[in-house]
Amino acid sequence: MKVFLLSIVLFFTCTASAQNGVQTLPTGKYETVTKTTESKWEKGDIILLDGNKYKLSTTSEEGDYRFSHTAQRIFFTSGPLKGLFAKTSLNKNSPVIVLPVAENDQIGFKLSAEVWCYYRR
């Protein structure tokens, strides 16, 4: 009986904590800001388009992306950000795309600072 009750408590705890992450990434503009200098990222803003497509505000080249709500990651599979490590988070109940320095350095992308991309519709 104790094992059963413990299992139920753990199930509801895990379910409740899993719902705190980003469930969907809405299409639209994600304004980029570097965390150390609070300035715009030199590559521009990320614009998520319909059909799992994206582009940067500084170029017309489009690419594909995939979002995993279980991993809280966005995978850029083609285009100008192909292979870039990106995770998602919430900021005041609004989705944010985070481009961390350490993970991207490991795979060869040199970022001057962590970049946060805030959803602006």
Side-chain angles (χ1 to χ4, degrees), residues 30-102:
Y30 289 77
E31 291 181 359
T32 59
V33 176
T34 59
K35 279 313 232 184
T36 55
T37 61
E38 295 292 323
S39 61
K40 296 288 283 179
W41 187 37
E42 64 270 4
K43 292 193 180 276
D45 298 325
I46 298 173
I47 303 168
L48 298 185
L49 307 168
D50 291 330
N52 290 332
K53 300 275 188 195
Y54 77 94
K55 69 177 189 171
L56 297 175
S57 61
T58 56
T59 180
S60 61
E61 181 184 1
E62 289 186 7
D64 296 314
Y65 74 92
R66 296 287 177 255
F67 172 64
S68 169
H69 72 275
T70 54
Q72 291 297 289
R73 293 268 320 271
I74 182 169
F75 300 93
F76 296 105
T77 57
S78 67
L81 300 179
K82 181 180 179 182
L84 188 75
F85 184 94
K87 57 187 180 178
T88 59
S89 185
L90 287 174
N91 181 36
K92 299 177 185 171
N93 292 325
S94 184
V96 178
I97 300 170
V98 181
L99 310 176
V101 174

Side-chain angles (χ1 to χ4, degrees), residues 13 21-22 31 43 47 60 80 82 95 106 108 112 117 119:
T13 303
V22 177
E31 291 181 359
K43 292 193 180 276
I47 303 168
S60 61
K82 181 180 179 182
Q106 291 176 1
S112 59
C117 313
Y119 178 61

